Amino acid sequence: MPVTGPATTLLAHAGASLAPAEASRAALVLIDVQEEYRNGRLPLVGVDAALDEIIRLVHRMRQLAVPVFHIRHLGRPGGALFDPDGSGSLIIPAAGPRGDEPVIPKALPDAFTGTDLAGRLRAAGRDQPVFAGFMTHMCVSTTTRAALHLGFSPTVVARGCATRDLPPAGGEAEPVPAELLHRATLAALADRFAAVVPDASSWGG
């Protein structure tokens, strides 16, 4: 007979640490916090609340002297989404870089592929990246999974992410609501790939 009981993550089965990134080993990586998701062609469900949490998160990390990296997705010039010369590709100012915080352009969902993000993290001695941004099911999920594969120990801040409703696929009749997609994606990441924490309060302050 199969054993039944409370759902348990694979990380818990393995005895892995479920604690969030330590400030001394962390780097905050803000993924695609761009106008396309707020005022452009891809408005997200809950984007304003997520942006408020991102602002709190980046403020706390700066207080703790944690390095901050900004990822900026760039689409095809003249294209419908994330046109490099259009307003949709701009980082939302309230969450934008300060001082010498780098902005790293990318062209794919994974912020590591085709960029120097991994090298920058290693050069800074930061092996526990903290991810927040957009969209939960796309670039946040893909980058978090890649981080584990590259030897990092990632953390994802749940309330600092958001996504959108998706159309049905695979013969299904109903679309997938953003809230369900967001929750399912975070649960999948927490199962094997990352520590998933609610918000910036995980680092005090």
Side-chain angles (χ1 to χ4, degrees), residues 109-176:
D110 172 20
F112 290 100
T113 298
T115 77
D116 62 354
L117 176 58
R120 286 176 178 267
L121 291 174
R122 291 186 175 119
R126 302 287 171 152
D127 64 343
Q128 297 184 355
V130 176
F131 296 119
F134 310 134
M135 295 180 284
T136 317
H137 81 283
M138 181 65 67
C139 296
V140 174
S141 177
T142 305
T143 300
T144 301
R145 292 164 185 258
L148 180 74
H149 297 165
L150 290 168
F152 297 102
S153 298
T155 296
V156 177
V157 181
R159 292 175 187 155
C161 302
T163 192
R164 72 188 206 281
D165 299 336
L166 290 187
E172 297 291 332
E174 298 296 324
V176 181

Side-chain angles (χ1 to χ4, degrees), residues 24-188:
S24 62
R25 299 171 63 184
L28 177 59
V29 181
L30 297 179
I31 300 173
D32 303 350
V33 185
Q34 292 169 253
E35 292 289 359
E36 198 74 80
Y37 292 127
R38 185 174 65 161
N39 296 313
R41 292 173 178 256
L42 291 175
L44 304 184
V45 174
V47 67
D48 289 332
L51 181 58
D52 287 344
E53 182 57 38
I54 288 169
I55 292 169
R56 285 189 289 269
L57 177 63
V58 72
H59 176 70
R60 181 59 182 149
M61 290 301 185
R62 286 168 177 155
Q63 287 181 324
L64 295 172
V66 171
V68 181
F69 298 85
H70 302 261
I71 306 300
R72 182 186 179 208
H73 189 82
L74 297 178
R76 177 174 55 83
L81 299 173
F82 300 100
D83 180 350
D85 297 321
S87 60
S89 70
L90 298 176
I91 293 175
I92 296 171
R98 289 186 183 176
D100 60 355
E101 293 173 357
V103 176
I104 301 174
K106 71 175 178 63
L108 294 169
D110 172 20
F112 290 100
T113 298
T115 77
D116 62 354
L117 176 58
R120 286 176 178 267
L121 291 174
R122 291 186 175 119
R126 302 287 171 152
D127 64 343
Q128 297 184 355
V130 176
F131 296 119
F134 310 134
M135 295 180 284
T136 317
H137 81 283
M138 181 65 67
C139 296
V140 174
S141 177
T142 305
T143 300
T144 301
R145 292 164 185 258
L148 180 74
H149 297 165
L150 290 168
F152 297 102
S153 298
T155 296
V156 177
V157 181
R159 292 175 187 155
C161 302
T163 192
R164 72 188 206 281
D165 299 336
L166 290 187
E172 297 291 332
E174 298 296 324
V176 181
E179 176 60 24
L180 177 60
L181 180 61
H182 174 77
R183 289 177 56 206
T185 300
L186 293 173

